[in-house]
C-alpha cells in the first residue's frame, strides 16, 4: 500500500542516516528494497520452498564479510523453516526468479550480540545484495507448455519410441547450459528406457512430430543434489525448449496413406513389376530432401527386388496406375542410423509422396480392348497386309504424345515389315476395316528403356486405333505374286516390241496389265510405281537399263522354293 511504501521509505532513510529525519534508533525488522522486479513472475518464494540464490554480504561501511560469488557457487536451501538467519528467511520470501533485493538485517535478526568469531562482530547490522535464481518445491510436477502444434498428427510419442529433437536448455533464471542447435544436429535417443533424465522422459510423451514445447523440470526429476559438471548447479530446475523433429518405434513397419486412388484400377503392382513414378521425399518436419519433379524425370525401377530401400519396396506394393500415395518409412527400412549424404540424417523417418505414372511386367503382352467391331467381319488383317489407320497415342497418365489426326491422311504401313513398334503391329492384327481398339503397349514391345523422341524411357503407351482400310499383302521378300501359274513364255510376252531387250517402260506396262487383268498383285503400297521400279532394278542385274533373257528369273528359282511362282 501507499502507507506501507512510505513506512518502508522512512525506515530505509532512517537506516541510511537521512539527516533531516534524524536516527530513529535500532531497526525492528528486516528492511527490503526490491530494486529490480522482473516483468514476468511465474511464482514467488514461499515458506518451505527450495531456493537457489547469489548474494554479497557487507557491513554498514561497505566492508564485505561474505559472498557466494567469491566461492563460485550459488546457495541452495529451504526458505522460511529456520535454516537461515531470521532476517534472510524473511527477506527472501515473496521473491521472484531474477528479482534483486537489498536487505538490511538488524542484529537481533542476524547473529545478535554474539556474532561469528573472526567474521561478524557482536550487534552487527548486515547488508545483503541478493538475486534469486531458482525456486521449486518437492510437490512440484513437470510443467509442460505447448508452444505450437501441427494441424495433422497421426501419432504421438510413447515409451520405447526413438526420438530426434532439437532443444535449448536453460536454468530457471535463463542462463543457457546446452543447445542441440549449437552442435548442428538433433539429439537422438529412446524415450522411457532410462537414457534421459526422468523429467525429459515424461516431458516428451504425447508429442507430435513438429510440435514445440517448453518443459520446466524440477531438480528431483533432473540432476538433483549433484548437478551436472560445471554447467548445471546442484538443486537446479531446468527449462527445455523442445522441437520434436521425428520419432519412430523399432517395431514400426511402413505406414501407408492412400491419398487418391483412381476409380478404375484394373491391376495393382506386385513384386517383379517395373514401375515409373514421381515423388517428393521429405523428412517428418517437412524438409525436402529429394524430388523427381526437380529433375523433370520419373524414377524408374523394379519393385520387391531390392533395387530400392526396403520401405519403398514394400510401400509401392499394390499401387494403381495414376495413384497418389504417401509412404512413411521408419529408418530401419530406409537409411538406418547412418543416413545418406548430407540431406538425410541418421535415424530419420522418411515420407514419400508418390504419384504412379505407369507400371508393367517384363512378361506382359499387348493388352487389346475392342471398342467397336463391325458386323459381318470376315476379312481381317494379317502380317504383310498393307493397312491405313488412324491413331491417338498417349502415356497412361493421359499425356498426349502423337496423333495421325494431326496429318492430312491416315497412317499407312505394311504389317510385319518392322515399320512400327512390335506392340502396335500386334495390336493391328486380326482387325476388320472399321474396327476400333485400345492397345496398352508395354515398353519391351514399344520404345524400350531408351524411349524415343517425345517418348520417355520404359514408358507404357496407350493407343486408340481405328482401321480405315486394308489390302492383302504379298509374302515377305516379294514385290509381286501371280494368282495362278505365271505365263509359260514370260520373256516373250514381256518383250512387247520383240527386240530382245525389255526396258523399264515395257516392264512397267506388262506388270500393270497383269494387275489390271487380275492375274497377279503388287505388294501393296501408296506408290505402286516405286514398287515396279524396285522390281525392274532387281531384274536388271547389270544395271544397263534393260532386262535380257539371261537376267529374267523367278524368285522361286533363285530361292529354290516352289511355294509360289513369282518374280
Amino acid at each position: 500500500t501507499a502507507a506501507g511504501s512510505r513506512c518502508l521509505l522512512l525506515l530505509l532513510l532512517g537506516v541510511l542516516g537521512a539527516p533531516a529525519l534524524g536516527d530513529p534508533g535500532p531497526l525492528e525488522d528486516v528492511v527490503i528494497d526490491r530494486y529490480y522486479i522482473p516483468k514476468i513472475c511465474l511464482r514467488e518464494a514461499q515458506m518451505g520452498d527450495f531456493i537457489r540464490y547469489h548474494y554479497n554480504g557487507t557491513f554498514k561501511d561497505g566492508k564485505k564479510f561474505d559472498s557466494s560469488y567469491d566461492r563460485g557457487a550459488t546457495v541452495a536451501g529451504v526458505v522460511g523453516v529456520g535454516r537461515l538467519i531470521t532476517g534472510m528467511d524473511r527477506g527472501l520470501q515473496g521473491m521472484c526468479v531474477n528479482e534483486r533485493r537489498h536487505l538490511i538485517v538488524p542484529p537481533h535478526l542476524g547473529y545478535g550480540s554474539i556474532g561469528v568469531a573472526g567474521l561478524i562482530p557482536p550487534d552487527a547490522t548486515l547488508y545483503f545484495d541478493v538475486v534469486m535464481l531458482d525456486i521449486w518445491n518437492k510437490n512440484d510436477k513437470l510443467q509442460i507448455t505447448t508452444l505450437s502444434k501441427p494441424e495433422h498428427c497421426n501419432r504421438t510419442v510413447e515409451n520405447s519410441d526413438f526420438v530426434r529433437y532439437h532443444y535449448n536448455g536453460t536454468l530457471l533464471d535463463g542462463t543457457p547450459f546446452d543447445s542441440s542447435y549449437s552442435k548442428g544436429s538433433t539429439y537422438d535417443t529412446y524415450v522411457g528406457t532410462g537414457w534421459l533424465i526422468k523429467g525429459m522422459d515424461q516431458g516428451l510423451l504425447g508429442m507430435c512430430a513438429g510440435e514445440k514445447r517448453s518443459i520446466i523440470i524440477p531438480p528431483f526429476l533432473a540432476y538433483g543434489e549433484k548437478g551436472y559438471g560445471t554447467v548445471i548447479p546442484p538443486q537446479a530446475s531446468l527449462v527445455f525448449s523442445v522441437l520434436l523433429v521425428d520419432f519412430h518405434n523399432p517395431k514400426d513397419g511402413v505406414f501407408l496413406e492412400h491419398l487418391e486412388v483412381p476409380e478404375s484400377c484394373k491391376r495393382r503392382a506386385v513384386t517383379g513389376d517395373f514401375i515409373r513414378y514421381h515423388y517428393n521425399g521429405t523428412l517428418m518436419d517437412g524438409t525436402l530432401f529429394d524430388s523427381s519433379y526437380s529433375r523433370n524425370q520419373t524414377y524408374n525401377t523394379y519393385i520387391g527386388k531390392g533395387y530400392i530401400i526396403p520401405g519403398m519396396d514394400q510401400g509401392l506394393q499394390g499401387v494403381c496406375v495414376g495413384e497418389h500415395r504417401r509412404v512413411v518409412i521408419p529408418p530401419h527400412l530406409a537409411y538406418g542410423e547412418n543416413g545418406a549424404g548430407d540431406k538425410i540424417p541418421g535415424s530419420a523417418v522418411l515420407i514419400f509422396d508418390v504419384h504412379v505414372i505407369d507400371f508393367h511386367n517384363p512378361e506382359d503382352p499387348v493388352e487389346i480392348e475392342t471398342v467397336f467391331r463391325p458386323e459381318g467381319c470376315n476379312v481381317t488383317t494379317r502380317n504383310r497386309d498393307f493397312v491405313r489407320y488412324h491413331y491417338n497415342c498417349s502415356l497412361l497418365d493421359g499425356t498426349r504424345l502423337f496423333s495421325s489426326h494431326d496429318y492430312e491422311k491416315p497412317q499407312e504401313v505394311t504389317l510385319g515389315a518392322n515399320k512400327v513398334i512390335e506392340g502396335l503391329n500386334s495390336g493391328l492384327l486380326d482387325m476388320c476395316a472399321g474396327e476400333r481398339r485400345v492397345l496398352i503397349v508395354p515398353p519391351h514391345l514399344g520404345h524400350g528403356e531408351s524411349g524415343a523422341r517425345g517418348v520417355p524411357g520404359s514408358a507404357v503407351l496407350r493407343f486408340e486405333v481405328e482401321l480405315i482400310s486394308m489390302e492383302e499383302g504379298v509374302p515377305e521378300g516379294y514385290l509381286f505374286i501371280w494368282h495362278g501359274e505365271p505365263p509359260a513364255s514370260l520373256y516373250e510376252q514381256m518383250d512387247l516390241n520383240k527386240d530382245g531387250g525389255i526396258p523399264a517402260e515395257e516392264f512397267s506396262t506388262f506388270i500393270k496389265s497383269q494387275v489390271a487383268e487380275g492375274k497377279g498383285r503388287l505388294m501393296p503400297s501408296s506408290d505402286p510405281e516405286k514398287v515396279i521400279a524396285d522390281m525392274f532394278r532387281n531384274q536388271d542385274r547389270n544395271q544397263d537399263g534393260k532386262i535380257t533373257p539371261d537376267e529374267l528369273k523367278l524368285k522361286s528359282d533363285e530361292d529354290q522354293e516352289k511355294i509360289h511362282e513369282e518374280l
Side-chain angles (χ1 to χ4, degrees):
T1 63
S5 297
R6 284 197 299 274
C7 178
L8 181 62
L9 183 62
L10 288 171
L11 276 172
L12 194 57
L13 289 171
V15 168
L16 296 176
L21 300 173
D23 190 346
L27 290 171
E28 295 297 323
D29 202 351
V30 61
V31 177
I32 300 171
D33 174 17
R34 303 180 70 183
Y35 72 89
Y36 175 74
I37 303 172
K39 290 180 181 177
I40 298 173
C41 181
L42 298 177
R43 76 192 277 181
E44 298 177 349
Q46 307 291 331
M47 283 182 63
D49 281 345
F50 285 79
I51 58 172
R52 273 194 321 106
Y53 59 96
H54 261 312
Y55 72 91
N56 282 319
T58 63
F59 298 119
K60 187 174 183 180
D61 60 4
K63 181 182 177 184
K64 191 190 314 183
F65 63 83
D66 192 14
S67 171
S68 62
Y69 296 100
D70 293 346
R71 293 193 297 276
T74 53
V75 180
V78 182
V79 68
V81 294
R83 296 182 186 176
L84 305 169
I85 58 171
T86 306
M88 195 61 120
D89 250 352
R90 293 181 186 178
L92 294 173
Q93 288 196 41
M95 280 190 86
C96 304
V97 171
N98 285 326
E99 181 176 342
R100 295 175 179 270
R101 288 184 177 184
H102 286 303
L103 307 179
I104 305 174
V105 179
H108 68 279
L109 298 179
Y111 294 97
S113 57
I114 299 173
V116 177
L119 186 65
I120 297 175
D123 297 316
T125 299
L126 307 178
Y127 294 75
F128 292 96
D129 191 75
V130 182
V131 57
M132 183 64 67
L133 302 175
D134 201 341
I135 306 168
W136 58 280
N137 194 288
K138 284 185 176 178
N139 296 322
D140 284 351
K141 293 182 172 59
L142 217 56
Q143 294 180 56
I144 297 174
T145 306
T146 300
L147 305 176
S148 67
K149 200 169 185 174
E151 287 183 23
H152 303 289
C153 182
N154 293 324
R155 171 177 162 191
T156 60
V157 173
E158 300 174 6
N159 279 325
S160 81
D161 282 344
F162 188 88
V163 294
R164 296 197 310 117
Y165 61 93
H166 271 303
Y167 68 90
N168 286 317
T170 66
L171 304 179
L172 204 57
D173 68 340
T175 303
F177 63 81
D178 195 14
S179 172
S180 63
Y181 296 98
S182 65
K183 301 181 182 73
S185 63
T186 52
Y187 190 78
D188 307 345
T189 189
Y190 288 94
V191 173
T193 56
W195 291 88
L196 293 162
I197 56 173
K198 289 181 180 177
M200 208 57 166
D201 258 346
Q202 296 174 23
L204 293 169
L205 294 176
M207 284 191 84
C208 303
E211 182 176 340
K212 288 183 180 178
R213 277 185 180 180
S214 171
I215 305 171
I216 301 177
I217 304 175
F220 55 86
L221 295 176
Y223 294 100
E225 295 178 7
K226 294 181 179 179
Y228 187 83
T230 58
V231 290
I232 298 176
Q235 301 291 28
S237 301
L238 306 182
V239 181
F240 286 95
S241 175
V242 174
L243 167 62
L244 186 65
V245 174
D246 79 6
F247 68 97
H248 73 280
N249 197 286
K251 297 176 183 175
D252 284 349
V254 171
F255 177 73
L256 300 179
E257 287 184 40
H258 297 274
L259 301 182
E260 185 183 319
V261 181
E263 288 183 16
S264 61
C265 181
K266 295 179 181 177
R267 168 176 159 190
R268 293 178 179 269
V270 295
T271 292
D273 284 343
F274 189 89
I275 187 167
R276 296 194 313 123
Y277 61 95
H278 271 304
Y279 69 90
N280 284 321
T282 59
L283 305 178
M284 265 185 119
D285 64 357
T287 303
L288 184 74
F289 64 80
D290 193 17
S291 172
S292 62
Y293 296 99
S294 67
R295 295 187 290 276
N296 199 28
Q297 190 173 344
T298 53
Y299 191 81
N300 308 334
T301 188
Y302 288 95
I303 61 168
K305 289 190 160 191
Y307 290 105
I308 46 180
I309 56 173
M312 277 305 260
D313 257 347
Q314 295 176 26
L316 291 171
Q317 296 281 337
V319 291
C320 300
V321 170
E323 181 173 342
H324 289 264
R325 177 182 284 195
R326 174 168 289 172
V327 185
V328 182
I329 304 176
H332 52 275
L333 295 175
Y335 294 100
E337 294 179 14
N338 297 324
D342 57 356
K343 297 218 173 153
I344 299 178
S347 300
V349 176
L350 306 183
I351 299 174
F352 288 92
D353 283 302
V354 173
H355 178 207
V356 179
I357 302 301
D358 66 26
F359 63 86
H360 73 280
N361 195 283
E363 304 298 320
D364 283 350
V366 175
E367 185 183 319
I368 299 173
E369 178 191 347
T370 300
V371 178
F372 172 75
R373 190 174 177 100
E375 291 183 12
C377 174
N378 299 319
V379 181
T380 59
T381 51
R382 296 177 298 173
N383 272 329
R384 309 306 305 167
D385 285 351
F386 183 75
V387 297
R388 291 179 178 84
Y389 62 98
H390 271 304
Y391 73 93
N392 293 315
C393 176
S394 62
L395 301 178
L396 288 195
D397 66 354
T399 302
R400 182 180 182 274
L401 297 180
F402 314 108
S403 174
S404 61
H405 297 284
D406 294 340
Y407 303 96
E408 292 180 1
K409 55 184 182 177
Q411 189 80 2
E412 299 176 339
V413 73
T414 299
L415 296 176
N418 296 319
K419 299 297 184 184
V420 293
I421 57 172
E422 188 178 342
L424 179 55
N425 196 94
S426 300
L428 289 169
L429 293 175
D430 195 34
M431 283 188 84
C432 299
E435 185 173 340
R436 296 196 300 274
R437 288 179 174 179
V438 172
L439 314 176
I440 306 298
V441 179
H444 53 275
L445 299 176
H447 293 286
E449 291 181 21
S450 303
R453 187 174 180 183
V455 180
S458 300
V460 179
L461 302 180
R462 182 182 190 273
F463 286 91
E464 297 170 352
V465 293
E466 178 182 5
L467 189 65
I468 305 301
S469 64
M470 56 181 285
E471 295 176 38
E472 188 179 1
V474 297
E476 186 173 1
Y478 293 86
L479 299 173
F480 174 90
I481 63 170
W482 271 284
H483 295 149
E485 292 294 322
S489 51
L490 179 59
Y491 191 87
E492 286 76 6
Q493 289 195 32
M494 198 177 287
D495 184 10
L496 300 177
N497 62 4
K498 311 302 179 191
D499 64 353
I502 303 170
E505 189 177 340
E506 274 188 350
F507 183 84
S508 176
T509 302
F510 175 78
I511 294 298
K512 287 178 181 176
S513 70
Q514 298 297 300
V515 173
E517 294 167 19
K519 293 178 180 178
R521 69 176 184 272
L522 283 167
M523 181 185 84
S525 170
S526 55
D527 187 0
E529 296 290 349
K530 182 178 182 303
V531 177
I532 294 172
D534 287 344
M535 290 171 64
F536 180 80
R537 244 190 328 272
N538 289 343
Q539 295 297 321
D540 182 12
R541 299 175 195 277
N542 63 5
Q543 304 298 309
D544 63 354
K546 62 180 184 296
I547 301 170
T548 63
D550 292 339
E551 289 177 319
L552 185 67
K553 288 182 184 175
L554 295 175
K555 182 168 172 41
S556 56
D557 294 336
E558 294 174 355
D559 297 343
Q560 295 184 342
E561 292 177 358
K562 299 299 180 183
I563 300 171
H564 295 283
E565 304 276 354
E566 57 278 279
L567 286 174

